[in-house]
Amino acid sequence: MRRDRQLVAITLATILAADVYFVLLPRLRDWYYMSRDGCVCKETNASASYTDVATSEWTSSLNSTEFFSKHGSKLEHLFAHPLYKISLPDLGPDDVLLQKEELMEYYRRKVSRWERQQKYYIEAAAASNISVFDQPVTFDPHASWLKFHLGINRHALYSREDDNIDRLLQDMQSAAIISADYTQDEKALKGLCDCTQVVKPSGHHLKLALKLQDFGKAMFKPMRQERHEETPEDFFYFVDFQRHNAEIAAFHLDRVLDFRRVPPVVGRLINMTKEILHTTHNEDLRSVFFTSPANNTCFFAKCLYVCKTEYAVCGRPDLLEGSMSAYLPGLSIAPRISIPNPWIRSYSFTGRAEWEVNPLYCDTIKQHYPYNSGDRLLNIIDMAIFDFLTGNMDRHHYEIFTKFGDDGFLLHFDNARGFGRHSQDEMSILAPLSQCCMIKRSTLLRLKLLAQPEYQLSDVMRESLDRDPLRPILTEPHLSALDRRLERVLRVVMKCVKKLGEQQVVIADIEEASGGALTHTHDKRR
């Protein structure tokens, strides 16, 4: 054989051997484990002790139809499970965000200031022969939004047993709107407001701050695209549309996962003329209203990015649906800080972040404050799992309440770029989990529970979302994608356990107390 042919043959043989070793063998290994265990969400020998907390009640030979007929609501049955009854330590003054007397005094001052401004505005309008709508405030010290603010604590935005959240959703959906304005961060982009009242400026999408008659406040994000429309394949995550239904679905998913880190969100149908144009005192906002050739009322954002009529949203003819997100307490009374996500993406067309090219990136992160102790890194991993399930790639920052320090939970804000493509699972979102190979025991147990037919994630989400007035919120392909993505999360955990062992991967944050009750425990990371 000629020498050059020998070199070609050797090269091809080397390539074939590498392909077999690095591609074919791993796939055969995964296939072997999957065929042996039935599915990735069932137990392997390496992870058999995941089910050491009364999990015999979790599994059943019943299929979902039989289970529903025998037990009724899957969602109610899920929330009755011991994992959703974990007792928390008693809350002291330092564990509650706000004290009642302080909060009431703060808002009474704000109501007085509002009423003075309204009086001056009406007098000025009358002097100019302009008719305005008088919008009186009915400040109720027992309002649902006030109870929501008072319920925020070190562990979550609200408790599992808080019936007031459903009342708050109803109020945001039906209460009269007395004022509409651009949000503070959009004003900050134009230099028109006090930036101390802004955690981080943003404004690529159109959103409004709506004040309700009981002086509650909600952020309104209007519908930008139909539910069945997927994000185009050529869109980068940072130019994607913001979806109102994604905000609604994210709140429900957050509650199903028992994180309770997303402020309450509900859908609402708004009359753009009566409830926005006629209630706003902002001349910039009034100036961007127009009537389309189809005789629909439209408006657009007068900010740095989308200040053109082609970016407008239009009603039919005046009615526009959108999401209503409950505001958190003001920064002057409940300060928050915004922190860059260690797994932040490169917001350019060509660049790549370090974590995308360095598989040992997490080892570096673990050496730096505040990720070298406490629960911060585990909370980042919770957030990554949440974002992977929704398909949200746009988590560049996270926020925490400063009062709770390093031990506070992360707020899962701004979820409107989720649920864009049901046909794609963006595995890079799971980089914190796959690179750090750590997960809270409570999180893992709930994920495994939601993979069981009795509590299947898509089923409980469908049932939860059906309570929203704008239902259906998600299409069936998006609901099916939740189940598929959940299996992929469990598969990543399984690989980590095989590699490092369960004790290294699953971090104990709950333990079984007397009588089978589950309680939170202190961080046990070494």
Side-chain angles (χ1 to χ4, degrees), residues 254-266:
D254 175 79
R255 188 153 64 166
V256 163
L257 293 173
D258 200 40
F259 289 157
R260 290 168 285 123
R261 301 165 196 169
V262 174
V265 186
V266 70

Side-chain angles (χ1 to χ4, degrees), residues 243-257:
R243 287 168 285 276
H244 72 300
N245 61 312
E247 289 281 10
I248 299 169
F251 162 67
H252 287 260
L253 177 63
D254 175 79
R255 188 153 64 166
V256 163
L257 293 173

Side-chain angles (χ1 to χ4, degrees), residues 123-134:
E123 291 174 353
S128 302
N129 291 323
I130 299 174
S131 60
V132 296
F133 295 88
D134 186 14

Side-chain angles (χ1 to χ4, degrees), residues 62-92:
L62 295 173
N63 62 37
S64 58
T65 304
E66 292 171 335
F67 186 88
F68 187 83
S69 64
K70 291 190 176 185
H71 297 275
S73 166
K74 278 192 176 185
L75 188 64
E76 291 178 5
H77 195 71
L78 176 73
F79 289 156
H81 190 276
L83 278 173
Y84 290 79
K85 300 291 185 181
I86 299 175
S87 59
L88 295 171
D90 292 335
L91 298 176

Side-chain angles (χ1 to χ4, degrees), residues 132-294:
V132 296
F133 295 88
D134 186 14
Q135 302 289 349
V137 172
T138 306
F139 180 69
D140 179 7
H142 302 290
S144 57
W145 63 271
L146 272 172
K147 290 185 177 180
F148 165 56
H149 288 181
L150 289 170
I152 300 173
N153 60 60
R154 181 180 298 278
H155 305 289
L157 287 173
Y158 53 91
S159 69
R160 302 181 188 94
E161 302 80 16
D162 190 355
D163 295 334
N164 179 67
I165 297 302
D166 289 331
R167 180 186 161 202
L168 174 59
L169 296 176
Q170 178 62 37
D171 289 346
M172 288 194 295
Q173 191 267 327
S174 59
I177 296 170
I178 63 172
S179 174
D181 201 353
Y182 288 124
T183 58
Q184 290 288 85
D185 55 357
E186 287 180 305
K187 292 179 181 179
L189 286 168
K190 300 168 62 181
L192 296 180
C193 76
D194 179 4
C195 288
T196 62
Q197 295 297 307
V198 179
V199 175
K200 58 180 178 60
S202 63
H204 189 70
H205 53 285
L206 178 54
K207 57 187 185 289
L208 298 175
L210 303 182
K211 194 177 294 294
L212 307 179
Q213 193 161 25
D214 63 358
F215 212 68
K217 198 173 180 183
M219 180 182 292
F220 178 74
K221 291 187 179 181
M223 183 175 76
R224 299 301 300 266
Q225 66 181 62
E226 299 291 340
R227 288 158 176 70
H228 67 274
E229 295 181 83
E230 280 205 86
T231 302
E233 292 183 359
D234 290 328
F235 270 35
F236 287 90
Y237 46 88
F238 48 86
V239 296
D240 189 13
F241 282 118
Q242 302 261 338
R243 287 168 285 276
H244 72 300
N245 61 312
E247 289 281 10
I248 299 169
F251 162 67
H252 287 260
L253 177 63
D254 175 79
R255 188 153 64 166
V256 163
L257 293 173
D258 200 40
F259 289 157
R260 290 168 285 123
R261 301 165 196 169
V262 174
V265 186
V266 70
R268 177 163 176 167
L269 203 60
I270 293 285
N271 185 305
M272 298 168 61
T273 302
K274 294 180 179 178
E275 296 180 299
I276 299 178
L277 180 60
H278 289 172
T279 64
T280 185
H281 298 169
N282 188 317
E283 292 304 319
D284 279 347
L285 179 55
R286 296 177 67 90
S287 69
V288 296
F289 272 78
F290 64 95
T291 302
S292 74

Side-chain angles (χ1 to χ4, degrees), residues 333-353:
I333 193 172
R336 307 189 307 271
I337 57 172
S338 177
I339 303 171
N341 185 353
W343 279 266
I344 188 172
R345 296 179 180 275
S346 171
Y347 281 72
S348 71
F349 295 115
T350 56
R352 299 188 74 188

